[in-house]
Amino acid sequence: MKKGTILLIHASNFFRPQPKVDSLPWGILHLAGALKKEKINCKIVDLNIEQLSLNHLEEVKCVGISTTSYAIASALRAAKAVRDYNPSIPIIWGG
């Protein structure tokens, strides 16, 4: 990831073992499009289809986590991973 990248995380819906079209992270996709339009580097991690890794967190300046009540456990695990990696990375919650 390029320095100063914003990482956008879509929390996993554990009720669906496989992603479906209606579970795509539309809010994050919209936000990523707006960031790219402004030439701001961003990366999306959809926890429905991949795990968060330390490689995702390298040189990240900010993390956004999108969740709802049914996916809060996944979102909390992601936030803890970010805090364990670097407690000074700002985390912005939404959903």
Side-chain angles (χ1 to χ4, degrees):
M1 246 185 258
K2 295 178 182 177
K3 185 173 183 161
T5 299
I6 295 175
L7 178 64
L8 303 174
I9 300 173
H10 181 242
S12 174
N13 176 355
F14 65 90
F15 293 114
R16 286 201 178 129
Q18 295 185 357
K20 295 184 178 181
V21 172
D22 64 348
S23 69
L24 289 174
W26 295 113
I28 283 181
L29 290 170
H30 182 75
L31 180 56
L35 291 169
K36 287 187 184 247
K37 185 176 179 181
E38 296 298 320
K39 301 192 184 335
I40 298 171
N41 297 321
C42 68
K43 165 82 175 160
I44 297 172
V45 176
D46 185 346
L47 297 178
N48 285 300
I49 56 176
E50 68 178 308
Q51 293 184 355
L52 185 63
S53 73
L54 294 180
N55 290 338
H56 291 122
L57 299 173
E58 291 177 0
E59 300 187 16
V60 166
K61 68 177 176 182
C62 179
V63 173
I65 299 175
S66 176
T67 191
T68 54
S69 58
Y70 64 82
I72 195 71
S74 169
L76 288 169
R77 283 190 301 273
K80 182 177 180 339
V82 172
R83 283 288 176 254
D84 289 347
Y85 178 79
N86 182 346
S88 68
I89 295 175
I91 300 174
I92 301 166
W93 287 77

